[in-house]
Amino acid sequence: MATIKVFSGLLKTTTHPCLKPHSISIFRNDFNLRDNLWQQIRTIKAPGKRRGLKYIAIRSTPKELPLDPNEVSQRPSNAQSAIPTDLAELRFAYPEFLPKPVVDHRDKLCEQLMRKDLIRRRNVIEIPEFYVGSILAVTISDPYAPGKISKFVGICIERAGQGTDANFTLRNRADGQGVEIRYDLYNPTIREIQVLRLEKRLDPHLLYLRDALPEYSEVPFDMTPDPPLPSGTPVPLNAIKVVMKKHPWTRKWEAVDLQGIQQLTELPDFEYINKWRVKSAYAKYDLMKEYRETIPEEEQLDILKEIQEHKDKVAEVRAIERRKKLVQQTSKKS
């Protein structure tokens, strides 16, 4: 403190041309601020030990102001979603349109151009709505197959990827052997994607069918498609629980919280005890978990509006084409 006073006195009496009046005032204010701060710190550490210093109590928590009832009534509720109910299902039917939640890998312009490219590709080929657990029949162009066309029927066990990298995997059994084929959703060699049975499952993926009994993966290749669901009806949920083969498996399914597997009773005790526990006990207290795994609903709303607009346009075009076919058929008969 004495050093600060001496230096401050030198600044007052100096005549050096480099030290102008405004710089002197800046230095003096800086020293006074440091002096006061150091006095407060010493007072907090040992209050009452030094004479002449006033004890200043620092609040640990700020004083809460009274809430304005009008302001509270205008706040949006956390329980309400910003996405309407008619657009909420599009998040699961068109997951490839939503970008990755990783902030470092996002580019708004690239995402917008990619969505336009996806819509242009959907105008060329009709990609129906399907989910994990639905039974599909995919027809592709194959130069090495008889007739230059190859068709595969199976259960959709996984949907992955974003944008043009979106893909899905079908599983079936042929000649007693499990077969899986992974298709790029926007591959130009795909001629047709037909939904034979539209349904959902209890889990986000069905990769555990590889270690389940064979009957849960078998689908007849000549399966006839189910009648389409009436508009407005929810997608049916298949709540079947598969029976697994004997341990060991290709993965540690006992460590994953899966709902579509029956209770595992043939595991060792140490694995059986840890099987049905929650993924993480502190997950419900993680306030940033939803932010890391999803993008904000305000951004999702703009994307879902684009999807709904494209869906309405495609429905109009398809209706016009059906009318033209009916007119041509009636004209030929007449």
Side-chain angles (χ1 to χ4, degrees), residues 324-334:
K324 289 182 179 179
K325 289 182 180 179
L326 289 174
V327 171
Q328 292 176 358
Q329 291 176 1
T330 53
S331 62
K332 287 181 181 179
K333 290 180 181 180
S334 61

Side-chain angles (χ1 to χ4, degrees), residues 120-169:
R120 284 196 297 267
R121 298 191 186 198
R122 281 179 173 267
N123 292 331
V124 176
I125 180 175
E126 182 179 1
I127 300 178
E129 175 185 357
F130 67 94
Y131 303 89
V132 172
S134 301
I135 301 177
L136 308 179
V138 180
T139 305
I140 63 172
S141 299
D142 188 358
Y144 304 102
K148 307 297 182 180
I149 290 177
S150 176
K151 183 179 180 180
F152 185 77
V153 178
I155 305 173
C156 180
I157 63 173
E158 185 185 22
R159 288 192 68 172
Q162 303 291 334
T164 54
D165 296 332
N167 57 78
F168 62 98
T169 306

